[in-house]
Each structure stands twice: as structure tokens, then as C-alpha cells.
Amino acid sequence: MRNAIVLAAGKGTRMKSTLPKVMHKILGQPMIGHVITHLKEVNTDKNIMVVGHGAEMIQEYLKDQVSFALQLEQKGTGHAVMQAIDQLDPNGDTVLLYGDCPCVQSETIEWLFESNKDFDLTVLTAFFFDPAKYGRIVRDKKQRVKKIVEFKDCSKSELNIKEINTGIYCFKNEKLIKHIKELNDNNAQNEYYITDLVEIFINNELKVQAISVKDNDEVMGINDRQDLLNAQRWIQKRINNAWIDQGVTFINPLGTYISLETTFEEDVVLYPNIYLEGKNHIKRGTTILPGSFIINSTIGENVKVDSSRITDSIVGNNVNIGPYSHLRGHTEIGDGTRIGNFVEMKNAKIGKNTRCAHLTYVGDAEVGEDVNFGCGVVTVNYDGKNKFLTKIGDHAFIGSNVNMIAPVTIGTNAVLAAGSTIDHDVPDNDMGIARERQVNKPGLGLKYIQKK
Ligand code: UD1
Ligand code: CA
């Protein structure tokens, strides 16, 4: 059994924020979400998160994804682990991670589980030129790890040690459950240190090893907003480089922000100043131009998205979107369709080869194939209380500045005259006209202009 405990009860005072530290976002996703995404990649059987400060918000964000343990008072990392101990499987291994350490990759977590096979405790360490306030790894003459000493408890010579504790470990559950009770708070901070388990394990003749991380950046912890930006830059570079190797073209990767859960096919071209958040899939040959924001959406092959926002929607192949369009609320766009220039669509299903190119709102609608929308068309879907559906059949031609007051159905091959306000159904093959007849008053125009 593989278990994981993630500590996330701390306050994060240095973020200077009302938001709990681990809820601050990196590439559109709270940093705690990055930790969970990587954990899921190694197929753990159970993930337990220790929460305290901001518990409600974190629990709301991760509900159904992890189980929780509450630490009401923050009495140290050892005390935090004690809160989760009852939920561990009696056998197997537990990796201990921090919620404010979002760069740790799944390969490293996997490596920890594997390295701990024949050990009772594996500590992940790093060598820092400036070991700052990290806990120091003390080794004996044979280079075997002896104990971890916290910065505030270090002797002068211990302060010179360059090998530090990353705070990430793998424990044998059986031994962790047995010995965690032996922790005490007799130290400079009067806290229960999880690090004391190294010495306790060794005194009980258990097998402890310390192995060092390959890339120090992976273990960077977030304490303030500078750290947050540094971590974002590191993760952004990593994600973008991986997609470059998979055949994605970046015009300037520094200005392209891609979430962990976005995927691409070959020959996608990404301009700078675009944001892809949440779970997106972008298919082959598609180009995304500057100023686009795409969230939880699927974009088909050979699509062009220009300065547009697309949320929770699905776009077919060979579609043109924008400039300046907004698709949201589970909109679906058929192949070959054109959506452009200040068009908003919400909860709309649009058929193939339809054209909706200018200044139009389509909300709560089912639209067929090869439909033409003129400029300035509005589906009037809301009466102030409820939303209603507009249905438009194949090949219909909707004139400019038409309002369709829902619920209303426009038939196949129907034509709506420009400027009409349509509140009755229009049958197949018919034309709907709903506007005042024009009256011309001879000479009145000139008179008016002369008076001015
Ligand atoms: C800890 C380690 C130190 C290591 C460093 C690496 C201990 C005693 N020390 O120190 O050796 O070099 O991490 O970053 O473990 N937390 C709780 N509840 C608590 C206390 C902490 O959930 O009661 C969480 C925090 O939210 C944070 C993490 O545990 O995510 C680390 O706590 P922190 O107080 O920052 O530990 P350090 O002093 O940095
Ligand atoms: Ca810390």
C-alpha cells in the first residue's frame, strides 16, 4: 500500500494575504493542486491532507480527491503527522510532502517509494551553498545519517553543514505508527519535530538512509510571493519545454501560460500572452493568437482562436474564432463554423459550417448546419426569471439586428427579415417579418436639415 500525507495546516504569514498559502495559484491552479496532480501520477492508494488555517477553503477545493485530518493548533510537523496517523494503512509506505512545496515531480515521489523498499525511513536531502534556516543532516564518520538538527537547535559546527533536510520523507507505516508516539517538544521551538524520528529510528536499530534530490529547484518551498513567482517560472519553463519536444511551436514561451492538465497534439502554434487553465485539449494544427484565455475546453484541429475567451466548451475542426469572441457555459461549435468579432455564446450548440461573424449574442440555443447570422442578432433568452431555448433549423438565414424571443423555433430554410423581433415560431421554408412598414414623408428631410 502506498500512502501519502501532505502537510498544509500552516498560516503562511509572509504571503501577506487572507488566502491560505497553499491556495495561491501557479499557472491558474492552487499550489496544493500541483502537489495532488503529481501524487496522482504515482498511483498512491490513499492521500491524507493535514489542514488547519483556511481548512474549509482547502477542503472545498479538494473534496472527493483526498481525505483530511484537522490540526487545530500548529504544534509542529511531528504533531501534524500525528493527526493523520489513524488513517494510514497498517502496512506499506508513506511519503510525507508539504503543501507549500509544489515543484516536487512524480518521478521523485516514485523514486522515494522505491528507494525505501529495504529501509524503514528515507530522507530526501539537498546540498545548498547557503543552507540558510533549513534543518541540517548530521552524518557519522562512515557517512551514515545520524540525525537531523533544526537550524534553531544547531551547534556552531552543525551550522556549517551544507546538506539540508528537504522535509520530504518516505516511512514504513508500521514503524511510523509505532514510534511517532515517542516524539516530544523539548527543543528551541517547543514543537513536535518529525525530524526527531531519524534519531529515534536509529536508536531502535531501524534502517534509515538519506538520499539527495537531483534538481534542487524541485524542493523549493513557497514562503512569500517572490518564492511563488520563482516557482511559477520554473514550472512554466518545464511545462513549455516538454511541449516544445512534443511538436508545439511557441513564439515566445515566456508569455505563454499552460496548466499542468492541458494537452496538445502536433503542430499547434502558441503566440505569447495566452493563458490555458484547467483541463484543456488542443488538437493538431491549431493556432492560438495573443490575448486568448482558454479554460477547461477542447479545441479541434486547424482551428484559429484570436483574442478570445473560451470556457467549458468544445470547438470542432476548421473553426475560426474571434477576434474578440466569448464562448462559455458548455457551448459546442461544429466543424467549419465561423464565430467572430464580438460574439458571445453561452450554452449554445452550433452545427457545421454556420456563420456568426459579427456582434451577436447566442444563449441557450440549438442551431443547425449552414445557418447564417447577420450582424447584431440576439437570442432573447431571459425574461428576468427564467431562461428559455431558441431552436434554429439547418440553412436558416437570420437577418441583421433580429431579436428572437425564446422559447421560439425557427424552421429549416427559414428566413428572418432584418430588424425583426420574432416571438412566434417560423415554420420550415417560410419567411418571418416582424417590423413596422416604412413611411416616407416627401421633402421633410430637407426642411429638417435647413432648420438646423
Ligand atoms: C521543516 C523541517 C526542516 C526542513 C524544512 C524544509 C521540521 C521540524 N523541520 O522546517 O528540517 O529543512 O522543513 O522546508 O520538520 N506544518 C503543519 N503543521 C504544523 C507545522 C507545520 O501543517 O504544526 C506544515 C506547514 O504548513 C508547512 C510544512 O508543514 O507546509 C513545513 O512547516 P514549517 O514550519 O515551514 O517547517 P520548517 O521550519 O520550514
Ligand atoms: Ca518552511
Side-chain angles (χ1 to χ4, degrees):
M1 285 289 181
R2 285 181 165 190
N3 296 168
I5 298 176
V6 182
L7 303 189
K11 194 168 180 188
T13 317
R14 281 174 284 169
M15 294 301 284
K16 305 220 164 75
S17 173
T18 52
L19 198 64
K21 174 158 80 173
V22 297
M23 290 302 290
H24 280 261
K25 288 181 179 175
I26 292 177
L27 300 171
Q29 182 186 27
M31 65 173 106
I32 194 73
H34 287 251
V35 177
I36 299 305
T37 302
H38 292 311
L39 261 180
K40 281 185 180 161
E41 288 165 359
V42 295
N43 296 319
T44 41
D45 300 289
K46 195 184 278 175
N47 300 322
I48 306 151
M49 185 163 297
V50 180
V51 289
H53 283 284
E56 271 174 32
M57 195 178 193
I58 300 167
Q59 280 170 303
E60 174 60 27
Y61 171 60
L62 289 174
K63 59 170 184 259
D64 312 326
Q65 296 197 57
V66 297
S67 58
F68 293 96
L70 200 59
Q71 188 194 25
L72 292 171
E73 259 184 293
Q74 277 71 56
K75 293 196 261 182
T77 47
H79 181 259
V81 173
M82 286 175 194
Q83 313 310 307
I85 210 86
D86 291 344
Q87 296 188 47
L88 294 180
D89 290 316
N91 291 298
D93 293 80
T94 292
V95 156
L96 178 59
L97 300 169
Y98 292 160
D100 61 359
C101 207
C103 300
V104 178
Q105 300 295 304
S106 54
E107 291 80 3
T108 303
I109 303 172
E110 181 72 45
W111 181 54
L112 270 170
F113 274 122
E114 276 167 20
S115 304
N116 202 50
K117 261 192 192 132
D118 301 322
F119 284 84
D120 297 304
L121 167 56
T122 300
V123 181
L124 189 68
T125 71
F127 287 87
F128 284 174
F129 180 70
D130 172 16
K133 293 188 174 171
Y134 286 96
R136 307 297 204 263
I137 305 292
V138 180
R139 291 181 183 265
D140 64 16
K141 283 192 184 114
K142 289 184 175 161
Q143 288 304 308
R144 288 174 307 197
V145 55
K146 221 168 101 187
K147 59 178 177 176
I148 299 174
V149 186
E150 286 308 289
F151 170 76
K152 285 185 183 153
D153 302 293
C154 273
S155 66
K156 256 196 178 152
S157 64
E158 285 166 343
L159 281 176
N160 291 328
I161 298 173
K162 304 274 189 244
E163 187 180 11
I164 62 95
N165 173 28
T166 65
I168 296 165
Y169 323 82
C170 189
F171 294 94
K172 278 276 172 308
N173 286 9
E174 203 195 329
K175 308 290 162 43
L176 175 64
I177 294 165
K178 184 172 174 202
H179 294 289
I180 195 160
K181 299 172 194 132
E182 295 161 32
L183 292 179
N184 62 56
D185 61 357
N186 302 332
N187 52 54
Q189 302 187 84
N190 294 115
E191 285 186 356
Y192 295 87
Y193 292 163
I194 195 70
T195 46
D196 286 349
L197 278 178
V198 170
E199 220 178 342
I200 293 172
F201 272 37
I202 289 169
N203 290 341
N204 284 277
E205 282 163 16
L206 300 179
K207 291 179 78 181
V208 180
Q209 67 173 343
I211 57 177
S212 41
V213 67
K214 289 171 187 118
D215 183 345
N216 285 349
D217 286 334
E218 252 190 66
V219 296
M220 72 174 101
I222 313 289
N223 290 313
D224 56 30
R225 288 174 198 257
Q226 299 288 353
D227 296 338
L228 186 69
L229 258 182
N230 285 336
Q232 169 155 305
R233 282 190 205 108
W234 187 82
I235 294 171
Q236 179 190 24
K237 192 170 172 190
R238 211 183 149 90
I239 291 175
N240 292 0
N241 280 342
W243 288 116
I244 290 168
D245 290 341
Q246 296 299 315
V248 174
T249 297
F250 288 75
I251 306 299
N252 172 10
L254 293 178
T256 306
Y257 302 86
I258 300 168
S259 66
L260 277 177
E261 293 178 306
T262 293
T263 52
F264 299 92
E265 295 178 7
E266 285 166 21
D267 294 319
V268 166
V269 179
L270 302 176
Y271 279 70
N273 193 22
I274 63 172
Y275 298 78
L276 303 167
E277 291 190 358
K279 208 171 179 148
N280 299 295
H281 182 61
I282 317 291
K283 295 187 186 169
R284 169 179 328 277
T286 283
T287 297
I288 303 176
L289 291 154
S292 294
F293 207 137
I294 301 178
I295 307 162
N296 297 328
S297 296
T298 298
I299 312 292
E301 295 180 9
N302 301 313
V303 171
K304 195 167 106 185
V305 179
D306 189 356
S307 312
S308 293
R309 178 182 281 250
I310 303 173
T311 309
D312 301 325
S313 294
I314 300 172
V315 173
N317 301 328
N318 305 307
V319 173
N320 259 310
I321 295 173
Y324 316 113
S325 297
H326 186 189
L327 309 182
R328 62 188 177 96
H330 307 285
T331 285
E332 288 177 25
I333 308 291
D335 294 349
T337 283
R338 158 108 186 82
I339 311 288
N341 302 289
F342 305 100
V343 169
E344 178 180 0
M345 290 190 170
K346 185 217 71 170
N347 184 32
K349 311 254 175 303
I350 312 289
K352 291 180 191 166
N353 300 318
T354 282
R355 297 163 302 283
C356 184
H358 327 273
L359 301 162
T360 287
Y361 174 62
V362 181
D364 304 310
E366 288 172 25
V367 178
E369 297 180 7
D370 185 37
V371 171
N372 190 84
F373 287 84
C375 178
V377 173
V378 175
T379 55
V380 182
N381 61 328
Y382 184 51
D383 65 2
K385 269 196 196 137
N386 296 302
K387 305 267 168 83
F388 300 97
L389 186 71
T390 300
K391 282 188 176 176
I392 302 175
D394 295 344
H395 318 296
F397 187 96
I398 315 296
S400 288
N401 208 26
V402 164
N403 297 314
M404 289 168 280
I405 301 182
V408 68
T409 299
I410 313 300
T412 301
N413 297 314
V415 172
L416 303 185
S420 295
T421 294
I422 301 289
D423 59 358
H424 289 72
D425 290 353
V426 178
D428 291 352
N429 309 318
D430 288 1
M431 177 185 280
I433 309 179
R435 61 186 190 215
E436 275 294 304
R437 268 187 193 286
Q438 180 173 330
V439 180
N440 291 345
K441 310 260 171 151
L444 203 59
L446 180 63
K447 249 191 185 166
Y448 179 83
I449 281 166
Q450 285 171 341
K451 238 169 69 182
K452 277 207 296 190

